[in-house]
Amino acid sequence: AQRVTQPEKLLSVFKGAPVELKCNYSYSGSPELFWYVQYSRQRLQLLLRHISRESIKGFTADLNKGETSFHLKKPFAQEEDSAMYYCAPQMDSNYQLIWGAGTKLIIKP
Amino acid sequence: NAGVMQNPRHLVRRRGQEARLRCSPMKGHSHVYWYRQLPEEGLKFMVYLQKENIIDESGMPKERFSAEFPKEGPSILRIQQVVRGDSAAYFCASSPEPGQGFMQYFGPGTRLTVT
């Protein structure tokens, strides 16, 4: 079955420290991968997608097909990065997104 | 191009009343998705609709919840006989025809409080 796992429900790091939010998926094909972010009391918005190879707000994500992972990384966390982050692979033939449970990132000053 | 619109932004209902949440997709989008976010929880898919069709309702509770997306007008998520556990933020998203690499665009959400 297609599944996406974000193992950390909560991740807390200090400002300036590196951040890695994990995302693993189970799918035999080649998914398109997205990270969405929800800042406090705001709507969800796209952070980045693998297909465009962008780096947004210092975040990058590398697709590791061998490990079926798409971890989100940032070398130096900022306080404004505190938010809820969702990994959402596009894995089925209907092109629907499969949503992870989300990771709440807290950046401590 | 206005973004996805949802109204009301805040809705208070007493137990047993009906809640109607509206979602107007972005111009040109004919696909709508509804999600629920319980307090301190992640996003949970509820239902996916195209104009006049329910495509996937696997995340909808079997009772009291229904959704529609008529040919004209907004998509409606209806919750009958609300209970305290229905208190949550309800988000809708829209997209153009799904395809590889397509994005969903989210509305600001409706915060439902059941008293």
Side-chain angles (χ1 to χ4, degrees):
Chain A
Q2 298 156 2
R3 191 168 55 245
V4 56
T5 303
Q6 292 182 250
E8 303 127 335
K9 194 169 183 178
L10 174 66
L11 183 63
S12 181
V13 303
F14 284 102
K15 177 183 173 181
V19 169
E20 182 180 57
L21 289 87
K22 293 186 169 56
C23 173
N24 290 89
Y25 62 90
S26 58
Y27 181 57
S28 57
S30 295
E32 287 300 333
L33 292 137
F34 300 79
W35 277 96
Y36 280 77
V37 61
Q38 184 182 26
Y39 300 103
S40 180
R41 298 279 175 174
Q42 294 187 27
R43 69 181 74 192
L44 266 84
Q45 56 188 289
L46 180 70
L47 179 63
L48 63 80
R49 50 181 171 172
H50 175 253
I51 194 172
S52 57
R53 299 288 197 274
E54 293 171 297
S55 173
I56 308 292
K57 298 186 179 182
F59 285 96
T60 59
D62 291 321
L63 172 61
N64 186 323
K65 291 187 178 180
E67 295 181 359
T68 58
S69 68
F70 190 55
H71 303 328
L72 184 69
K73 300 177 184 178
K74 184 170 182 176
F76 307 104
Q78 304 298 315
E79 286 186 69
E80 56 265 29
D81 296 329
S82 294
M84 193 78 174
Y85 291 80
Y86 293 93
C87 178
Q90 185 185 45
M91 294 193 287
D92 70 17
S93 58
N94 291 324
Y95 303 111
Q96 294 311 306
L97 300 178
I98 310 296
W99 291 84
T103 297
K104 185 172 184 178
L105 176 65
I106 297 175
I107 307 301
K108 297 178 286 189
Chain B
N1 189 357
V4 178
M5 309 286 282
Q6 288 186 250
N7 69 81
R9 294 292 307 278
H10 301 275
L11 182 61
V12 180
R13 284 287 177 266
R14 290 201 184 101
R15 278 179 297 172
Q17 290 185 319
E18 179 180 283
R20 290 167 63 94
L21 289 63
R22 294 174 185 78
C23 170
S24 297
M26 285 181 69
K27 188 177 180 181
H29 288 187
S30 58
H31 300 258
V32 165
Y33 313 79
W34 284 95
Y35 298 88
R36 179 165 63 176
Q37 186 176 41
L38 295 169
E40 303 302 317
E41 296 284 330
L43 201 66
K44 294 284 173 59
F45 167 78
M46 298 182 74
V47 62
Y48 162 40
L49 310 103
Q50 293 179 27
K51 287 277 188 182
E52 301 183 279
N53 282 306
I54 296 175
I55 305 302
D56 180 355
E57 56 182 348
S58 58
M60 286 276 272
K62 293 289 186 285
E63 298 177 350
R64 302 187 298 108
F65 284 72
S66 63
E68 62 178 11
F69 188 15
K71 188 176 180 181
E72 301 291 337
S75 175
I76 307 285
L77 179 67
R78 183 183 292 112
I79 312 172
Q80 296 177 302
Q81 299 174 312
V82 295
V83 300
R84 288 246 172 89
D86 296 332
S87 295
Y90 292 83
F91 291 93
C92 119
S94 74
S95 76
E97 186 71 30
Q100 193 171 29
F102 88 108
M103 292 164 49
Q104 292 183 12
Y105 297 81
F106 281 81
T110 294
R111 295 193 179 275
L112 172 65
T113 302
V114 179
T115 61

